[in-house]
Each structure stands twice: as C-alpha cells, then as structure tokens.
C-alpha cells in the first residue's frame, strides 16, 4: 500500500490565493501539463542555441570588433557577443545610454557585428540612474525607495512597463540589439542585502516583499513584449525568474560559481519550467576549464562570460595575468581543445532545436532529471549530476580534481555517443577522470543528426548534416518547429536506406548515413 503524501502550502498575509494542482499518470506528465498551462515551452531562435561570448566590461567597440574578427580568423564558432556594464555611461545604477568614448557610433557598431553574423546582447539592471533619459519619465512610475541612487521601476504597473519597454525598443532593439542580460533582479540572500527593502511601496499598490517576487518575471515580460511587437525572436538571460515562466525566452544564470552546484541547478530547473546556464568564467586549471566548457555545451545556453578578462580564458587562466595581457607561453593547444568542444555545440543545434520544439509543443523539458524519463527506479531518482537532453541523449559530466565518477545508466541498451560502442544499462559503473570527452550516451535505435561545424548558425553550410545511426536506427528523428519548419529522418533497417522529409525555408542537405559502433 502506498504511503499517503502531503503538500504544504505556506501563504504570507494576503487578501486571497488561488491554488492550482497538476496531476498526471507520471511526474513527467505533471510537468508537461504545468508547462502547457504556462503557455508552452520556449522555442529559441537558432542563433540563440549557438555559442555565446561576453566581452570584458571595459572593452571598447574597436576592441570588441577585433576580438570577433579573431574568432572568425581562428575558426572559433560564435553567434552571440555580449556587452557588459561598460557600454553604459553609468552602470550602478544604469543609464541605458551608450558610453560615447567606448562606442562613438552604436548603430554602426551593431551593424558591423551583424554583418559578421554576430547577435548583440546587452547587460543591464533595471535601477535607473538620475542621468538616464528614462529617469524623468519613470519618476512617478517607481517605488519610494531607490537602489544605488536609482529608481526602482514598478513593473507591476502596465504604464511603467510600457515606458521602460518602449525606450528599450526604440533606442536599442531598433538599432539591432537581439537580447538582454537582466542582472541584479534577484534580491538573493547571498548578495549582501543591497536591493530595495521589503517595506518599499509602489504606485501599483504592491509592497517590497511582493515586488521581490514579481520583479524578475515582470522585468522579462517588459522587454519580451518589445520583441513580440516587432515580431522578432530573442533569447536572453535573467538572474531571477519564477512560476509560469516556461514560455519566456530567458535563461537563468548566477554569480555563484561552483561547478557541481551549476550542474544540480541545470538538472533541477527542468522540474519547474525554467532553463539554466552553467556559464564558464575563469578556471582553476586547464582541466577545470575543459570540464566546465564541456558541461555548458550540453546546456540550454552555451556561454563563456569573459566580463573581467580582456583575453579568452584559453589564452591565460590566471585572471591577474590575463588583465595584464600576459598570455600563457603556449596557449594554442588549449585554444584548439576549446575550439573542438565549442564545435560540438554547433554540431548539436538541429538536435537541440528538435528538443526545444517538443518543449513548445507538449511541454517536455528539453533538459531534465533522469527521474522523469525512468520512473520506478529509486536509484535513478537520486541522480542529480546527470541529465537527459531531448529524448535520446544522456549527459554525465566529469568534475576537475575528482579521480572518477560513478554513473547508474538507466535500464536498456545505450551507446557511447563518441564511439558508438554499445553500453548495457541497469548497473552502475565507474568512469575515470582520464576520459577525454564528457561522458554521453545515446538510446539504442536512435537516428541522430550532426551538423557541420561553422563559424555561426547564419552560415548556410551549417545545414549540411551527417546522420549517425546508433543500433538499428528504428527511432526516427523528428523536428517540428512552431513556425512550421520540419525535418523527418528515418532509417529502414530492412533495406538499409534512409529517408528525408522536410519543409524549410533553409533546407538541410544530408551528406552521409553512418552506423556507429
């Protein structure tokens, strides 16, 4: 007989509360129903699934153009270039106005990056500096307490969202900005209590405690609305989100930096309609850099955040030396290894697109805990350092400084993603730290597309696919986007022939069908 279960809902002082209960034959069905109730999962633009790099905060426009040219010259894939706090004339609080010394012609700068297939993402937070062009129009649409000398927008107020959003739309999105990184909206217990107090009052009638719960969500909605009005897609970053956010095209990140905790966050976010970016910043060793980079490639948003170093980390791991432009004596082998790993991300984009398309269609989280796919196995339910990507790929990362890791591979037949060799599930085994690539396993029978490695997703050559067959190839690959793009790859074991059916404005070409292992 099953033990009875209880759910405790603790509600602070409130005039009324609505409680929704989602049920289903399985935990995965419950999560799907919750995500669909939220509006369905997000379907990012293809460029958002490419590789991201955030430049040093104090970099000038010319330095950033030089960096992006270096990426293209050295064949390091990158789709999104992020600008950090230095693009503002004042950043704590923010002006949302370009620093003319560093960026004398912002529109031309953004156009130049766009011509090289780079999308630009801007860092900001919402606290509005007195010198900002937004300060006066927002003065009566903000809370009664400030942060860092700036106004706190009342994002619960539709008029405040319109004024704040319209400014971003006209001044930034209309010159080509593709997304934003919304920082400092979390009021985290780990950040020293810098945010607005809970006794704050806002024109909409909410207090500071309520606003802290609403702030990240309403902030996202404010800027997303601008892209929706322009019928433009975005994929952006945010430091605080919450319930019913599955449709929001924003990925969570954190200033904390423990690799294992980043993995745990990635695994657990799938339970609540959220996405997590285990970004790479610095690293304690080459091994640490490689293991972190391998993890981020198999995450919702693959990003190196170099906001406090002028040179990519593979050139110099030591932060102080990097800032002094003292490069490592022989950084080229490490760059080559990182280039290879970033290339994996480009190869995965069709597969990731299919996983997100399923998320949008039926609410299945594209990145999720093993417990959701393999219920009824208590030993699987405990695993918080491995996850499913899509319907057929399992990732189990390694961590620097640890001699090995143990993995309980779920029941059934699997294949090593890298070699195609069969691996039997159902028992635990040890993976040594000497393993070169991140441990990854594919369900037997899978048809799996691998894209050509290109400098960006904008390169038409990225649509050329190698099709890998793991086992007998009985599980077809299906990509159906909300916009009506589709790709069906199926294999007939009896005739040993593949079939391609697609509808796309940028059709794929198939180079090879290859049986793995």
């Amino acid at each position: 007989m099953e033990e009875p279960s209880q759910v405790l809902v603790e509600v602070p002082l409130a005039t009324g509360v609505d409680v929704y209960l989602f049920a289903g034959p399985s935990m995965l069905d419950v999560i799907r129903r919750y995500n669909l109730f939220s509006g369905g999962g997000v379907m990012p633009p293809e460029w958002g699934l490419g590789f991201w790099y955030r430049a040093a905060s104090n970099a000038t426009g010319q330095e950033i153009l030089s960096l992006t040219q270096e990426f293209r010259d050295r064949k390091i894939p990158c789709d999104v270039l992020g600008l950090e706090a230095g693009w503002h004339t004042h950043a704590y609080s923010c002006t949302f106005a370009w620093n003319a010394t560093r960026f004398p012609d912002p529109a031309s700068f953004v156009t130049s990056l766009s011509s090289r297939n780079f999308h630009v993402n801007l860092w900001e937070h919402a606290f509005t500096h007195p010198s900002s062009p937004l300060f006066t129009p927002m003065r009566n649409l903000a809370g009664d307490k400030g942060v860092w000398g700036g106004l706190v927008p009342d994002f619960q107020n539709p008029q405040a969202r319109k004024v704040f959003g319209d400014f971003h739309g006209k001044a930034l999105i209309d010159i080509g900005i593709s997304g934003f990184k919304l920082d400092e909206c979390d009021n985290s217990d780990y950040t020293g209590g810098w945010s607005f107090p809970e006794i704050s009052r806002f024109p909409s009638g909410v207090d500071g405690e309520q606003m802290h719960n609403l702030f990240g969500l309403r902030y996202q909605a404010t800027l997303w609305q601008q892209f929706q009005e322009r019928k433009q897609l975005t994929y952006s970053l945010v430091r605080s989100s919450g319930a019913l956010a599955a449709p929001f095209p924003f990925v969570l990140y954190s200033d904390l930096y423990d690799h294992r905790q980043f993995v745990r966050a990635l695994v657990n976010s799938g339970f609540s309609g959220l996405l997590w970016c285990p970004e790479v910043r610095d690293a304690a060793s080459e091994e640490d850099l490689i293991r972190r980079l391998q993890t981020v490639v198999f995450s919702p948003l693959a990003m190196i955040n170099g906001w406090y170093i002028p040179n990519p980390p593979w050139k110099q791991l030591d932060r102080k030396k990097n800032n002094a432009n003292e490069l490592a004596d022989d950084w080229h082998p490490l760059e080559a290894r990182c280039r290879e790993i970033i290339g994996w991300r480009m190869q995965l984009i069709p597969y990731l697109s299919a996983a997100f398309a399923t998320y949008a269609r039926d609410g299945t989280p594209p990145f999720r805990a093993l417990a959701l796919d393999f219920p009824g196995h208590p030993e699987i339910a405990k695993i918080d350092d491995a996850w499913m990507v899509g319907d057929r790929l399992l990732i189990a990362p390694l961590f620097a400084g640890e001699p090995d890791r143990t993995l309980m591979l779920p029941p059934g037949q699997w294949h090593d993603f890298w070699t195609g060799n069969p691996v039997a599930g159902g028992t635990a085994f040890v993976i040594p730290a000497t393993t070169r690539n991140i441990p990854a396993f594919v369900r037997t029978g899978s048809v799996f597309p691998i894209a050509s490695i290109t400098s960006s997703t904008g390169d038409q050559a990225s649509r050329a696919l190698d099709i890998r067959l793991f086992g007998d190839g009985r599980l077809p690959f299906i990509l159906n986007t909300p916009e009506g793009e589709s790709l069906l790859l199926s294999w007939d074991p009896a005739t040993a022939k593949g079939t391609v059916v697609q509808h796309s404005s940028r059709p794929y070409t198939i180079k090879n069908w290859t049986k793995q292992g």
Side-chain angles (χ1 to χ4, degrees):
M1 182 177 178
E2 293 186 3
E3 292 291 327
S5 61
Q6 293 181 328
V7 176
L8 175 65
V9 180
E10 184 177 347
V11 180
L13 182 65
T15 57
V17 174
D18 293 327
V19 177
Y20 293 84
L21 176 65
F22 296 89
S26 71
M27 188 185 303
L28 183 54
D29 288 312
V30 171
I31 292 169
R32 285 170 174 149
R33 291 171 179 180
Y34 164 75
N35 287 335
L36 290 175
F37 179 82
S38 303
V42 61
M43 180 67 210
E46 197 171 65
W47 56 261
L49 296 178
F51 200 77
W52 296 43
Y53 190 91
R54 305 199 72 84
S57 186
N58 61 357
T60 66
Q62 188 54 54
E63 289 169 338
I64 289 168
L65 290 173
S66 296
L67 175 66
T68 57
Q69 187 59 51
E70 177 184 341
F71 274 37
R72 294 293 185 249
D73 291 344
R74 302 193 66 80
K75 301 187 184 308
I76 297 169
C78 190
D79 268 276
V80 180
L81 194 288
L83 304 187
E84 287 290 310
W87 76 269
H88 296 260
T89 53
H90 194 280
Y92 281 85
S93 47
C94 285
T95 58
F96 316 102
W98 290 89
N99 183 321
T101 301
R102 295 188 177 121
F103 300 93
D105 189 347
S108 294
F109 168 76
V110 174
T111 298
S112 180
L113 285 175
S114 178
S115 70
R116 305 179 192 186
N117 285 331
F118 283 96
H119 293 261
V120 181
N121 178 283
L122 296 182
W123 173 96
E124 67 170 54
H125 60 72
F127 310 127
T128 305
H129 191 262
S131 67
S132 170
L134 259 175
F135 187 86
T136 296
M138 290 296 298
R139 185 189 293 273
N140 296 322
L141 298 169
D144 62 353
K145 304 290 191 295
V147 177
W148 296 312
L151 297 174
V152 180
D154 182 2
F155 287 137
Q156 184 65 5
N157 184 326
Q159 182 62 21
R161 294 199 299 271
K162 177 173 175 53
V163 171
F164 191 92
D166 283 352
F167 174 85
H168 281 71
K170 295 172 184 176
L172 300 171
I173 298 173
D174 285 348
I175 69 166
I177 298 304
S178 296
F180 297 89
K181 176 183 175 184
L182 310 184
D183 206 358
E184 316 291 12
C185 54
D186 53 353
N187 191 39
S188 168
D189 293 336
Y190 297 97
T191 54
W194 47 262
S195 191
F196 53 89
E198 296 191 345
I199 61 170
S200 300
R201 302 298 304 181
F202 291 84
S204 61
V206 304
D207 60 26
E209 182 181 15
Q210 293 168 314
M211 184 59 79
H212 280 306
N213 284 284
L214 294 166
F215 203 66
L217 284 166
R218 295 293 186 265
Y219 193 2
Q220 293 172 72
T222 298
L223 296 190
W224 185 24
Q225 178 65 30
Q226 295 297 315
F227 289 100
Q228 291 175 304
E229 289 176 1
R230 290 162 173 77
K231 294 180 169 46
Q232 294 180 25
L233 297 176
T234 185
Y235 201 42
S236 294
L237 288 150
V238 67
R239 212 167 86 175
S240 178
S241 196
L244 308 179
F248 287 29
F250 288 82
V251 180
L252 282 163
Y253 68 97
S254 172
D255 281 356
L256 306 180
Y257 199 55
D258 182 273
H259 187 190
R260 186 170 286 281
Q261 294 300 330
F262 269 15
V263 166
R264 183 170 287 115
L266 169 58
V267 172
N268 286 331
S269 63
F271 288 106
S272 54
L274 300 174
L275 302 169
W276 179 266
C277 172
E279 66 178 50
V280 180
R281 296 198 285 273
D282 54 22
S285 64
E286 290 189 9
E287 180 195 15
D288 189 32
L289 177 63
I290 287 169
R291 294 308 184 194
R292 286 178 178 274
L293 190 56
Q294 289 177 340
T295 294
V296 83
V297 160
F298 290 90
S299 81
L301 193 150
M303 180 174 73
I304 290 179
N305 184 4
W307 75 267
Y308 49 55
I309 49 176
N311 304 288
W314 52 76
K315 287 188 172 184
Q316 176 56 264
L317 292 176
D318 184 285
R319 180 176 174 180
K320 184 176 180 181
K321 290 181 179 179
N322 195 311
N323 275 282
N325 287 311
E326 297 177 19
L327 305 186
D329 291 336
D330 187 12
W331 52 267
H332 296 86
L334 183 57
E335 180 199 53
R337 183 77 175 107
C338 292
R339 181 192 300 114
E340 176 191 8
I341 295 167
I342 295 170
W344 299 347
R345 180 67 174 200
M346 307 306 290
Q347 292 178 305
L348 287 169
I349 285 175
Y351 180 76
L352 295 176
S353 295
F356 274 99
T358 300
Y359 187 33
R361 185 174 63 255
D362 73 7
T364 302
F367 300 81
R368 59 192 180 275
L370 304 186
L372 294 178
D373 286 67
F374 306 97
H377 298 278
E379 68 281 7
I380 301 295
K382 299 175 184 177
I383 296 174
D384 64 356
D385 59 357
W387 64 94
M388 291 297 298
V389 181
D391 64 349
R392 60 195 64 187
L393 180 62
L394 187 154
I395 304 299
L398 292 161
F399 301 90
E402 299 183 6
D404 52 44
R405 69 156 293 158
T406 300
L407 175 65
M408 171 64 75
L409 199 59
Q413 186 69 40
W414 297 81
H415 294 264
D416 184 296
F417 177 73
W418 307 106
T419 66
N421 294 335
V423 183
T427 57
F429 60 97
V430 175
I431 303 172
T434 53
T435 300
R436 184 175 189 271
N437 294 337
I438 188 170
F441 304 90
V442 183
R443 292 181 192 263
T444 193
S446 295
V447 175
F448 203 106
I450 299 293
S452 297
I453 299 173
T454 55
S455 62
S456 74
T457 58
D459 189 333
Q460 182 59 31
S462 68
R463 313 297 281 184
L465 305 179
D466 281 302
I467 312 303
R468 296 182 185 175
L469 306 171
F470 293 90
D472 61 11
R474 68 181 184 277
L475 299 177
F477 171 79
I478 302 172
L479 165 62
N480 283 316
T481 73
E483 294 76 30
E485 303 275 312
S486 63
L487 174 65
L488 170 63
L489 303 171
S490 56
W491 179 258
D492 184 349
T495 62
K497 290 185 178 179
T499 301
V500 182
V501 179
Q502 64 177 316
H503 175 76
S504 177
S505 56
R506 294 179 65 207
Y508 292 94
T509 58
I510 309 303
K511 296 191 295 183
N512 299 294
W513 298 77
T514 306
K515 186 172 177 59
Q516 297 295 106

